[in-house]
Amino acid sequence: MRGDRIGIVGPNGAGKSTLLKLLHGLIAPTAGQVLWAGRPADATVRRRQAMVFQRPVLLRRSAAANIRHALKARNIRGADARVRTAEALELAGLAPLADAAARVMSGGEQQRLAVARAMALRPDILFLDEPTASLDPASTLAVEALIGRAYLAGTKIVLVTHDLGQARRLADEVIFLVGGRVEERCAADRFFAQPDSERACAFVEGRIVL
């Protein structure tokens, strides 16, 4: 069954990345709670999630070993880990680079590896924080294709992006943030065709939002 695809957009400093970190439990809220299906975002909940950052965090080891390390942290070892690693590398088009040092790969290859590593965990939800912000168009399309494969596998996608074209391509629903608050939340086609708020209109038209 397909998951949802949610795009989080808004001007710089709106709180998009902070929201992702709160949802994934990387930082604690100063007030209120983060709840998933009515329960706190504890370790059990977080184990069903994965996150990919704008700049991939890779270890000083091979591409395959980076994936195996993430699986080992989730207590996935042996034959299962080997199969998941091979599948993830194949999906990302990185099988020929399995033994290559991750940190000397190109920027696009590194980001695909980061997404593949997250996919190997088979999360219910995949958080992506500006995953293609520093990539060329070809690498961007490759990463987007990989995100699409995660979605087709049934993973819910929550994507922060400054690229409205990318939000149009990848999101079914849009959350528009301004000043740390949700200004608008609706279906993506409605948001881009006829947003409700004046600031959302300005943002979609490429005007400065204060």
Side-chain angles (χ1 to χ4, degrees), residues 12-24:
N12 289 338
K16 302 183 295 296
S17 296
T18 299
L19 176 58
L20 277 199
K21 292 174 183 176
L22 283 166
L23 293 174
H24 193 39

Side-chain angles (χ1 to χ4, degrees), residues 1-6 24 36-37 39 44-51 74 84 118-127 150-158:
M1 176 175 159
R2 293 185 180 184
D4 297 324
R5 299 181 298 174
I6 299 173
H24 193 39
W36 290 96
R39 64 178 292 175
T44 300
V45 170
R46 291 195 296 272
R47 285 177 66 86
R48 296 166 58 190
Q49 305 171 348
M51 185 163 176
R74 295 286 180 89
R84 290 198 192 196
M119 289 173 63
L121 301 175
R122 298 177 185 171
D124 294 336
I125 301 173
L126 177 58
F127 297 114
Y151 165 66
L152 291 174
T155 300
K156 184 186 291 292
I157 303 297
V158 182

